[in-house]
Amino acid sequence: MAGSRSASASLLLLFLLFGFSAAKELLVGGNINAWKIPSSQPDSLNQWAERSRFRVGDYLVWKYESGKDSVLEVTREGYGNCSTSNPIKEYSDGNTKVKLERPGPFYFISGAKGHCEKGQKLIVVVMSPRHTFTAISPAPSPAELEQGPAVAPTSTATTLQVGLGVLAIFVGFLI
């Protein structure tokens, strides 16, 4: 009896440890000089974002020269049109830190005239918190996001399996 209670407590502890992860600070582009007009590939920042995993609570960090550039959070349309006229948020301090507070896509462009049109822009897709318990599918590419939102199928069976697994752990802990 004590052995099963100990095993259940261990499982619960593992579940709690792996179910939650600490927020990370991610340097945009992977280096200090990344927020600039790309020299070769106009989509290089988005290629970096596609290789990265972003979770709710993570922070994006931009390093750039204050007064010469800025970071604008914009809508999907603002991203596609490189429109700097009506940003959701504007940052110009040279050391910008943005908390990703919700799942889904975030769109960022440079506020410097002509920079967005030359490729200085970024789409970040933040995973839903539930992905910590289910299989993670690859994030949509920026090209897919520009074409319109992709609707992911939901799986009631997977949600039910996860819920039953959690319930079994708690019941096992109580027995």
Side-chain angles (χ1 to χ4, degrees):
M1 185 84 154
S4 96
R5 190 170 259 156
S6 174
S8 297
S10 296
L11 284 173
L12 178 61
L13 181 60
L14 284 172
F15 175 78
L16 292 174
L17 287 175
F18 290 110
F20 301 101
S21 61
K24 296 180 291 188
E25 288 189 8
L26 300 143
L27 188 59
V28 170
N31 65 59
I32 291 176
N33 298 318
W35 191 242
K36 62 182 180 183
I37 297 171
S39 58
S40 58
Q41 298 175 328
D43 211 25
S44 61
L45 288 172
N46 285 331
Q47 289 173 2
W48 166 80
E50 288 176 13
R51 293 187 307 267
S52 304
R53 293 282 183 210
F54 304 98
R55 291 187 167 81
V56 173
D58 284 350
Y59 291 87
L60 291 178
V61 179
W62 283 265
K63 304 278 186 183
Y64 54 94
E65 194 172 342
S66 178
K68 292 193 175 184
D69 206 344
S70 61
V71 176
L72 306 181
E73 182 179 345
V74 296
T75 63
R76 185 180 81 172
E77 292 78 19
Y79 176 91
N81 298 328
C82 287
S83 174
T84 59
S85 63
N86 195 18
I88 296 168
K89 292 182 184 171
E90 183 173 357
Y91 308 93
S92 58
D93 61 359
N95 187 22
T96 297
K97 189 175 179 181
V98 175
K99 185 173 184 178
L100 302 171
E101 296 181 328
R102 60 169 175 75
F106 287 79
Y107 302 90
F108 300 98
I109 63 172
S110 170
K113 186 171 180 68
H115 285 209
C116 177
E117 291 83 356
K118 294 177 183 172
Q120 190 178 349
K121 55 187 184 175
L122 172 68
I123 299 174
V124 170
V125 180
V126 179
M127 296 187 308
S128 169
R130 70 177 176 196
H131 282 121
T132 57
F133 304 114
T134 60
I136 299 172
S137 61
S141 72
E144 291 171 325
L145 289 172
E146 288 178 25
Q147 294 170 0
V151 179
T154 58
S155 172
T156 306
T158 302
T159 305
L160 182 59
Q161 286 173 343
V162 171
L164 289 174
V166 171
L167 182 62
I169 289 171
F170 286 113
V171 169
F173 183 69
L174 296 173
I175 297 179

